[in-house]
Amino acid sequence: MLKRVDSDWLRDINRRRVLREVRKVRAVARVDIAEATGLSPATVTVVANELIERGLLEEAPAEAEGDRRRGRPRVLLRLAPGALRVAGVKLAEHRISVTIVDFSGETVGESETAVRTRSQPLDALVGLIEDNVRAAAKQARIRPRDLAGIGIALPGYVDAMTGTAWWSPVLAEPEVNLTRLLEGRFPCPVFADNDANIATLAELWFGLGQGVRNFTVVTVEHGVGMGMVLDGRIRRGARGLGAELGHMKVALDGAPCRCGQRGCLEAYVADYALLRRASPILPDIDLADPARRREGLAALTTLAHQGSAEANAIFREAAAMLGLGMANLVNIVDPGMIILSGTRFRNELLFSDIMAKTLKENSIPFGPPGPEIRTHVWGDLLWTRGAAALALEGLFDDTLFGLQSVRGEVQLTGA
Amino acid sequence: MLKRVDSDWLRDINRRRVLREVRKVRAVARVDIAEATGLSPATVTVVANELIERGLLEEAPAEAEGDRRRGRPRVLLRLAPGALRVAGVKLAEHRISVTIVDFSGETVGESETAVRTRSQPLDALVGLIEDNVRAAAKQARIRPRDLAGIGIALPGYVDAMTGTAWWSPVLAEPEVNLTRLLEGRFPCPVFADNDANIATLAELWFGLGQGVRNFTVVTVEHGVGMGMVLDGRIRRGARGLGAELGHMKVALDGAPCRCGQRGCLEAYVADYALLRRASPILPDIDLADPARRREGLAALTTLAHQGSAEANAIFREAAAMLGLGMANLVNIVDPGMIILSGTRFRNELLFSDIMAKTLKENSIPFGPPGPEIRTHVWGDLLWTRGAAALALEGLFDDTLFGLQSVRGEVQLTGA
């Protein structure tokens, strides 16, 4: 009994270890998998052959000449691109975007619709998401029912464990479960998570976080978000809402935030906060309109570059507050790397020496050096790639090997 | 090969799952272990019998009459108290304390020496620790070489992975590796960690955190500390230093902290900070002397109770800053429970309605209710019990079953 029951479970674990290693390195020899995972070469061979049979891995000849000179040609293993395809959906205030990626992470289909998401009745919004997934599948030359999973990225407070969006600026109603609504329209599992965790998964699966055990991702768009990987896995906390760096308080009874509280980092750093402070020099900007906010921020940046003392003071204060918030990240979570992700990091006025100096002056001064700070400008690809990573993560963890039963008991941390 | 290599590893995992379940519930029937772990009853029987043979578990009759009426008498499993003993060492500014606990967590020996730890040369300090461990072992009627492990709790910046104390107020020198020094004097493994993580382990192994997947512990003594359990395990971050709530910044360019930075939570909440603000009404207190600080704080508390507006304002500001710091904990880590641990929580002026109100007004307002806040006054037992938990955790993770090879690859999250 002992042997039979638990050997299945063990084989599942070993399959996942091998798959994760291949995913991490992209193309890798069996012997190197054994070395990296600590599994015996014999175990790796057995498991790898089974994964090839199931169509998840494929063999590829080593490209480098050098390998052949050292002995017989090495055969590398890589993810079989056609093994499965997932759809990543991004809901923004003014757009729905869908990208379909294959198992190796390549984009094979895309679709998008410009729409004021929040103005749509829920049923119409779900219909638009469905239409875009179908259009992207058509471009990818697959049937919608061939999708292995769908991931949805949206801003706001989202419980990734249940898929419930408690509040989101792209939804007209509170407490919406998009995953359940979409699972009525596609036969595959659907997952949802907030923007910042999506960005974190994008880094973990496809970006700078591959193989890094402790890192956090900070995103600055309309708001400020973060996600954290500790000991190799994304951590979302007790309520599954993820970390809310944007609503970390950097001052007691400080500036009012759009969330209704005071002193939030967002109330000093987000675009609406910068423009609110800029109203004496840039009046008449409609803060509710994303396009006008973008124009306003461009104008404020131009003023700063032209030497406006007021404009430069606004950016300096925001940069210092951002440095303070990031220092608190270091003081609480102690990441090995902070990845600044998103498009706003192109703004060198905000992500400036002042931010770096404030960060250094306010974080733990003892022990080994603090985290490496890296900037990663993905463009729009970030969100749909990340949403696809969410679907892959959901599949890896639960569905791909039918592992529901071990959830919460054993986990792989090699990520 | 597959079978042989990985079955050992699997059996280790199963042993740990069974042991952890018994530890969590204290006395538990085999059938309930099977239910809780998801292992088959047959597997539990095999593993439990092996653990009994190895002397780690023992059988105990069920106490309740009720059980017998429902059928045959149930036999419960519990940790065998004599299976192993570990020593917990606490280094404070003015004292060295040692407690020896058995496998079931009962105290079996104690010893302490009053001494200004920081004034001791390192060699003399290590000698004093050794003497106290030997004295406590004598009281426990065991030989020092029968100790399975030693854990050391000390304040400051300590890397638990290597045992290096980068800086500690109880050590005369920076960058001291006490674990290595003590491993030269005892044949067992030695572990070290900072106070706040030690308090967290005490809660996880013996206290309110048993079986809770996400919680943080906040300690307020001379300084402010915290430790966090996420997804069932203590998380120490990339540098192994743990979280530094006391040095979270609650104000940009705020009050000076003894760490040399500004705006730290400690600079508003720690005893020296309260007394510094109280200098107009309580002059001439030597902040460097722990005994004088205790007297000063008692005097300030009395003044507040007698209606002094200045004294009450000092406690109100500190309570609000503490609430702000804890709100940021909720915003970043989202624990399901916050445990206020240590002796200072007896002070109802600091842990007041103002703290609770500020916490609520500054933490994420959406989704399910925020963390339960609980107070746990351990007294001095906390630190040595926690240090013993550190040794037990170290033994469970690495030494007890020789599991070094899987470190970082597979972990049990059932805690």
Side-chain angles (χ1 to χ4, degrees):
Chain A
M1 192 77 169
L2 172 68
K3 275 271 148 62
R4 198 164 54 80
V5 171
D6 290 329
S7 282
D8 289 352
W9 175 78
L10 172 65
R11 264 201 298 274
D12 282 337
I13 300 268
N14 286 342
R15 272 187 219 117
R16 296 210 273 176
R17 289 163 93 181
V18 170
L19 268 182
R20 277 188 193 250
E21 190 55 32
V22 175
R23 175 166 72 71
K24 210 164 74 184
V25 194
R26 304 219 166 266
V28 58
R30 285 173 175 82
V31 56
D32 296 329
I33 296 176
E35 194 167 312
T37 59
L39 293 172
S40 69
T43 298
V44 171
T45 298
V46 170
V47 171
N49 289 348
E50 196 193 326
L51 291 169
I52 291 171
E53 257 171 58
R54 291 173 67 161
L56 293 169
L57 289 187
E58 63 180 26
E59 292 187 327
E63 290 133 30
E65 273 294 308
D67 284 319
R68 220 168 310 167
R69 256 179 263 134
R70 274 190 267 123
R72 59 183 178 141
R74 298 202 312 169
V75 176
L76 302 184
L77 293 173
R78 65 182 178 203
L79 298 178
L84 61 82
R85 291 139 198 119
V86 295
V89 178
K90 164 65 179 171
L91 301 182
E93 287 181 52
H94 49 289
R95 195 164 43 176
I96 296 170
S97 325
V98 174
T99 296
I100 292 179
V101 306
D102 66 21
F103 197 40
S104 69
E106 288 304 302
T107 299
V108 293
E110 284 176 304
S111 174
E112 72 174 49
T113 301
V115 60
R116 282 262 187 157
T117 41
R118 186 158 208 166
S119 320
Q120 298 291 311
L122 192 54
D123 196 59
L125 183 70
V126 172
L128 283 169
I129 296 172
E130 183 185 351
D131 293 347
N132 277 285
V133 171
R134 290 185 182 280
K138 192 168 180 189
Q139 202 187 79
R141 296 167 190 235
I142 60 170
R143 292 164 303 182
R145 69 164 183 263
D146 293 334
L147 285 170
I150 299 174
I152 306 173
L154 70 168
Y157 294 98
V158 183
D159 180 348
M161 290 184 284
T162 62
T164 300
W166 292 96
W167 174 84
S168 171
V170 302
L171 297 172
E173 301 167 27
E175 221 180 314
V176 171
N177 194 312
L178 280 177
T179 62
R180 209 174 300 142
L181 293 169
L182 274 164
E183 280 177 341
R185 301 183 182 223
F186 295 96
C188 63
V190 181
F191 309 89
D193 206 344
N194 81 25
D195 278 357
N197 282 336
I198 290 291
T200 306
L201 287 170
E203 297 293 352
L204 182 63
W205 277 75
F206 305 122
L208 300 176
Q210 290 176 72
V212 181
R213 283 184 62 75
N214 291 282
F215 68 92
T216 58
V217 171
V218 175
T219 63
V220 181
E221 297 284 331
H222 305 310
V224 178
M226 71 167 275
M228 55 184 172
V229 168
L230 287 174
D231 296 326
R233 283 179 73 91
I234 191 164
R235 306 286 168 190
R236 293 185 176 95
R239 289 179 285 181
L241 294 170
E244 289 297 338
L245 182 63
H247 302 281
M248 171 193 277
K249 302 304 176 289
V250 290
L252 184 63
D253 291 324
C257 180
R258 57 180 182 169
C259 77
Q261 298 184 337
R262 300 185 78 92
C264 300
L265 180 56
E266 266 195 32
Y268 295 92
V269 170
D271 53 4
Y272 79 87
L274 296 172
L275 293 169
R276 182 172 63 188
R277 286 222 39 204
S279 63
I281 51 171
L282 278 176
D284 305 326
I285 290 178
D286 175 7
L287 295 183
D289 182 335
R292 293 301 315 280
R293 285 204 305 266
R294 265 197 303 279
E295 286 164 30
L297 205 61
L300 187 63
T301 304
T302 304
L303 282 174
H305 283 308
Q306 287 168 350
S308 155
E310 295 92 334
N312 278 299
I314 290 169
F315 281 114
R316 268 202 310 275
E317 188 196 60
M321 283 303 196
L322 192 60
L324 193 72
M326 286 174 49
N328 279 344
L329 256 193
V330 176
N331 295 331
I332 298 299
V333 178
D334 189 23
M337 182 192 284
I338 297 178
I339 303 171
L340 304 173
S341 177
T343 51
R344 192 61 54 80
F345 290 95
R346 291 198 189 100
N347 190 328
E348 73 281 8
L349 291 168
L350 205 48
F351 301 94
S352 62
D353 293 348
I354 292 170
M355 183 200 78
K357 183 165 169 284
T358 315
L359 166 57
K360 191 171 187 324
E361 284 176 358
N362 288 282
S363 48
I364 309 178
F366 298 95
E372 184 187 3
I373 313 283
R374 298 185 66 175
T375 302
H376 197 181
V377 179
W378 289 77
D380 288 340
L381 196 60
L382 169 66
W383 308 108
T384 47
R385 265 316 227 354
L390 176 68
L392 286 169
E393 178 125 327
L395 294 171
F396 254 74
D397 272 2
D398 292 323
T399 314
L400 205 54
F401 300 123
L403 271 174
Q404 242 102 2
S405 60
V406 298
R407 191 176 205 171
E409 287 178 6
V410 170
Q411 55 181 220
L412 292 171
T413 57
Chain B
M1 193 75 170
L2 173 68
K3 274 273 147 63
R4 196 163 58 77
V5 171
D6 289 331
S7 282
D8 289 349
W9 176 75
L10 172 64
R11 264 200 299 273
D12 282 335
I13 299 266
N14 285 343
R15 270 186 221 121
R16 294 210 274 176
R17 289 163 92 180
V18 170
L19 267 182
R20 276 186 193 251
E21 190 55 31
V22 176
R23 175 165 72 71
K24 211 164 73 187
V25 194
R26 306 223 165 262
V28 58
R30 286 175 176 81
V31 56
D32 296 329
I33 297 176
E35 195 168 309
T37 58
L39 293 172
S40 70
T43 298
V44 171
T45 298
V46 170
V47 171
N49 289 347
E50 196 193 326
L51 290 170
I52 291 171
E53 257 171 57
R54 289 173 68 161
L56 293 169
L57 290 186
E58 64 182 25
E59 292 187 331
E63 290 132 32
E65 273 294 307
D67 283 321
R68 224 169 304 167
R69 253 179 264 137
R70 273 189 269 122
R72 60 183 176 140
R74 297 200 313 169
V75 175
L76 302 184
L77 292 174
R78 65 182 178 203
L79 298 180
L84 60 83
R85 292 141 199 119
V86 296
V89 178
K90 164 65 180 171
L91 301 183
E93 286 180 54
H94 50 290
R95 196 163 42 176
I96 298 171
S97 326
V98 174
T99 296
I100 292 178
V101 306
D102 66 21
F103 198 38
S104 69
E106 289 304 304
T107 299
V108 293
E110 284 176 303
S111 173
E112 70 174 49
T113 300
V115 59
R116 283 262 186 162
T117 40
R118 185 157 212 167
S119 321
Q120 299 291 313
L122 192 53
D123 197 58
L125 184 69
V126 172
L128 284 169
I129 297 172
E130 183 185 351
D131 294 345
N132 276 285
V133 172
R134 289 184 183 280
K138 193 170 178 188
Q139 201 187 83
R141 295 165 190 238
I142 59 170
R143 291 165 302 184
R145 69 165 183 263
D146 293 334
L147 285 169
I150 299 174
I152 306 173
L154 70 168
Y157 295 97
V158 183
D159 179 346
M161 291 183 284
T162 62
T164 299
W166 292 96
W167 174 84
S168 170
V170 302
L171 297 172
E173 302 166 26
E175 220 180 316
V176 171
N177 194 313
L178 280 177
T179 62
R180 209 173 301 139
L181 293 169
L182 275 163
E183 280 177 343
R185 300 182 182 223
F186 296 97
C188 62
V190 181
F191 309 90
D193 206 345
N194 82 25
D195 279 355
N197 283 336
I198 289 290
T200 306
L201 287 170
E203 297 293 351
L204 182 63
W205 277 74
F206 304 121
L208 300 176
Q210 290 177 72
V212 181
R213 283 183 62 74
N214 290 281
F215 68 93
T216 58
V217 171
V218 175
T219 62
V220 181
E221 297 284 331
H222 306 309
V224 178
M226 72 167 276
M228 55 183 173
V229 168
L230 287 173
D231 296 326
R233 284 177 73 91
I234 191 164
R235 306 286 168 192
R236 294 186 175 93
R239 288 178 287 179
L241 295 170
E244 289 296 338
L245 182 62
H247 302 281
M248 172 194 276
K249 302 304 177 287
V250 290
L252 184 62
D253 291 324
C257 180
R258 58 179 180 168
C259 77
Q261 298 184 337
R262 302 184 78 91
C264 299
L265 180 56
E266 267 196 27
Y268 296 92
V269 170
D271 54 3
Y272 80 87
L274 296 171
L275 293 170
R276 182 172 61 188
R277 285 224 36 207
S279 65
I281 52 173
L282 278 177
D284 305 326
I285 290 180
D286 176 8
L287 296 183
D289 182 336
R292 295 301 317 277
R293 285 204 305 266
R294 266 196 303 278
E295 287 165 27
L297 206 60
L300 187 63
T301 304
T302 304
L303 282 175
H305 284 308
Q306 287 168 349
S308 156
E310 295 93 333
N312 279 298
I314 289 169
F315 281 113
R316 269 203 309 276
E317 188 196 61
M321 283 304 196
L322 193 58
L324 193 72
M326 286 173 50
N328 279 345
L329 255 194
V330 175
N331 295 331
I332 298 299
V333 177
D334 189 23
M337 182 191 284
I338 295 179
I339 303 172
L340 304 174
S341 176
T343 51
R344 192 61 54 80
F345 290 96
R346 292 200 189 100
N347 190 329
E348 73 280 8
L349 292 168
L350 205 48
F351 301 94
S352 63
D353 294 349
I354 292 169
M355 183 200 77
K357 183 165 170 283
T358 316
L359 166 58
K360 191 170 185 327
E361 285 176 357
N362 288 282
S363 47
I364 308 178
F366 298 96
E372 185 187 0
I373 312 284
R374 299 186 66 176
T375 302
H376 197 182
V377 179
W378 288 78
D380 287 342
L381 197 60
L382 169 67
W383 307 110
T384 48
R385 265 318 228 352
L390 176 67
L392 286 169
E393 178 126 327
L395 293 172
F396 255 73
D397 272 3
D398 291 323
T399 314
L400 204 54
F401 301 125
L403 271 174
Q404 242 102 359
S405 61
V406 298
R407 192 175 204 172
E409 286 178 7
V410 170
Q411 56 182 217
L412 292 172
T413 57

